[in-house]
Amino acid sequence: MARKSPDPRNVLRGHRKGVKCVCFYRGEGAGAGSEDDVLLFSGDQEGRLKAWDLRRRRASLDRRLYPQDSGFVSLCAVEGEGKLLTQGREGCVKYWDAERLCSSSEGERPLAEFSTGCYNFCRFSASSSADGGDPIAALPSSDASVVEIWDVGLSKRISVLQAPTKEKAVGMCTAVCLKAPAGSGDGTLVWAGYESGDLACFDLRQSAAPLALASFSSNEPLMSIAVDKMGLAGVAASVGSELVQFEASPKSGEGGEPGRLGIRALETFEMKQPGVSEVSIRSDGRIFVAAGWDGRVRVFDYKKRAPLAVLKYHQKNCNAVAFSPGCGLLASASEDSNIALWDIYPTKKKTQAS
């Protein structure tokens, strides 16, 4: 049974329009420290970026990075590298030195930028490069059914993933998640969700066809995919009322080639109200959350596959959720222009009661 909602720890107010995306940032070379010692970046529908000092609960940066009629789609911090990636609705991804961006004047330019010509709502996904270079990013192309992989620092497209072939077209790519399985030495996987409700998994070493394809969410378009650190299991959310926790099982390949995968649903959660903007799995793999169109943030036990709580504060759509590096804070951002900060199942407390 879901628990009663607590109150937010803090509410950050300052955006004039809906907040579309949030991410926590721990500076280059920063130690573990307190959860209050990290920054929180947020982007809104007017194209403005704010960086929030959580100790003072004030914005230390307020800059317009995208045109007012475009606005943000997503952003993410590149962990340990002092970099920030931002995505605008006009199809442009920009790569920033986060420290310089926070301390410089309005004239600071991105380190690199590129555009795929895609103007839909699909959030990009980024991952550190396997060779230790600049990160790579995945997002739809001008043909929205096709996913492109880019070397961000070089602003160079390095791979193209065609839509899976089926009797009925899968439609636009509506969600994507780039993940290098932890400690396996395997290639980087790209999880792509489509308008048809299909979920595909590609290996960048053999990108001609997906390793696996499964149909979830009653053929409703997938809106968000989150994959855990092992790279082969996660959560998929759609515009409908179903939230699916899934896993992929490797199948042996031939001739040394990477094997195919079989995807199966582990649990399907039926929500009272349809629509999820974003799902996120905490880095310790204990819990995951879903940002609902009804303004609620739903919290689940990832390992036990069970609902834990419903967080109620926002008055309009909840657009984004993000966990802090130390796992103790959750940020939720909404169309109501507010960002709520929640103390949520801290890892230093007893885990048995969670």
Side-chain angles (χ1 to χ4, degrees), residues 37-71:
D37 293 331
V38 299
L39 289 177
L40 179 71
F41 284 110
S42 59
D44 68 23
Q45 69 183 50
E46 286 189 319
R48 301 203 72 87
L49 175 77
K50 289 183 183 288
W52 298 90
D53 181 326
L54 298 186
R55 191 170 292 281
R56 296 191 301 160
R57 299 190 295 277
R58 294 179 58 187
S60 58
L61 170 72
D62 185 358
R63 286 265 313 265
R64 183 181 301 281
L65 299 190
Y66 292 98
Q68 188 169 353
D69 58 356
S70 170

Side-chain angles (χ1 to χ4, degrees), residues 4 77 97 135 144 168 232 321 336:
K4 183 180 178 181
D97 183 308
K168 184 178 179 180
L232 294 174
V321 283
D336 64 12

Side-chain angles (χ1 to χ4, degrees), residues 120-121 144-146 170-175 193-196:
N120 74 4
F121 51 81
S145 67
V146 176
V170 296
M172 296 189 301
C173 176
T174 51
Y194 296 91
E195 195 176 2
S196 60

Side-chain angles (χ1 to χ4, degrees), residues 22-319:
V22 286
C23 76
F24 286 92
Y25 170 76
R26 177 167 285 160
E28 198 171 9
S34 164
E35 295 281 36
D36 290 328
D37 293 331
V38 299
L39 289 177
L40 179 71
F41 284 110
S42 59
D44 68 23
Q45 69 183 50
E46 286 189 319
R48 301 203 72 87
L49 175 77
K50 289 183 183 288
W52 298 90
D53 181 326
L54 298 186
R55 191 170 292 281
R56 296 191 301 160
R57 299 190 295 277
R58 294 179 58 187
S60 58
L61 170 72
D62 185 358
R63 286 265 313 265
R64 183 181 301 281
L65 299 190
Y66 292 98
Q68 188 169 353
D69 58 356
S70 170
F72 271 85
V73 173
S74 190
L75 52 74
C76 76
V78 184
E79 188 175 353
E81 297 184 16
K83 303 297 192 298
L84 180 73
L85 283 163
T86 63
Q87 177 191 14
R89 277 294 301 271
E90 92 286 37
C92 184
V93 173
K94 300 182 181 183
Y95 184 41
W96 304 89
D97 183 308
E99 302 291 337
R100 287 168 52 188
L101 181 64
C102 289
S103 61
S104 68
S105 65
E106 288 283 335
E108 180 65 23
R109 302 289 299 171
L111 300 172
E113 61 182 282
F114 65 88
S115 178
T116 66
C118 179
Y119 292 80
N120 74 4
F121 51 81
C122 181
R123 302 168 190 260
F124 79 122
S125 180
S127 174
S128 297
S129 172
D131 60 7
D134 289 315
I136 57 175
L139 68 165
S141 74
S142 55
D143 175 352
S145 67
V146 176
V147 176
E148 295 182 350
I149 312 300
W150 286 72
D151 181 309
V152 174
L154 297 177
S155 300
K156 179 182 178 181
R157 184 174 55 238
I158 57 176
S159 186
V160 176
L161 308 178
Q162 299 293 334
T165 302
K166 292 185 63 178
E167 184 176 344
K168 184 178 179 180
V170 296
M172 296 189 301
C173 176
T174 51
V176 65
C177 183
L178 194 62
K179 183 67 69 169
S184 66
D186 292 337
T188 300
L189 300 179
V190 182
W191 293 86
Y194 296 91
E195 195 176 2
S196 60
D198 286 293
L199 175 66
C201 181
F202 296 85
D203 188 321
L204 290 185
R205 296 171 300 179
Q206 51 165 22
S207 57
L211 296 180
L213 182 66
S215 185
F216 289 148
S217 301
S218 302
N219 299 319
E220 299 276 10
L222 295 179
M223 291 296 294
S224 182
I225 304 164
V227 177
D228 65 27
K229 63 183 180 181
M230 300 309 296
L232 294 174
V235 182
S238 75
V239 302
S241 59
E242 291 184 354
L243 191 64
V244 179
Q245 195 170 341
F246 65 87
E247 74 170 4
S249 300
K251 297 180 180 179
S252 59
E254 296 180 1
E257 292 295 325
R260 291 184 60 80
L261 300 173
I263 305 174
R264 68 186 181 100
L266 297 174
E267 191 72 44
T268 300
F269 303 97
E270 188 76 25
M271 299 184 300
K272 292 182 178 179
Q273 299 294 330
V276 169
S277 300
E278 186 174 32
V279 288
S280 180
I281 302 171
R282 200 165 70 176
S283 60
D284 64 356
R286 288 184 54 216
I287 61 176
F288 74 92
V289 293
W293 291 0
D294 60 357
R296 308 294 193 254
V297 179
R298 291 170 174 82
V299 186
F300 299 84
D301 188 310
Y302 184 67
K303 293 182 178 179
K304 296 180 180 179
R305 304 195 289 273
L308 290 174
V310 179
L311 306 180
K312 302 176 183 179
Y313 172 77
H314 298 295
Q315 302 303 307
K316 295 183 179 179
N317 289 21
C318 188
N319 292 325

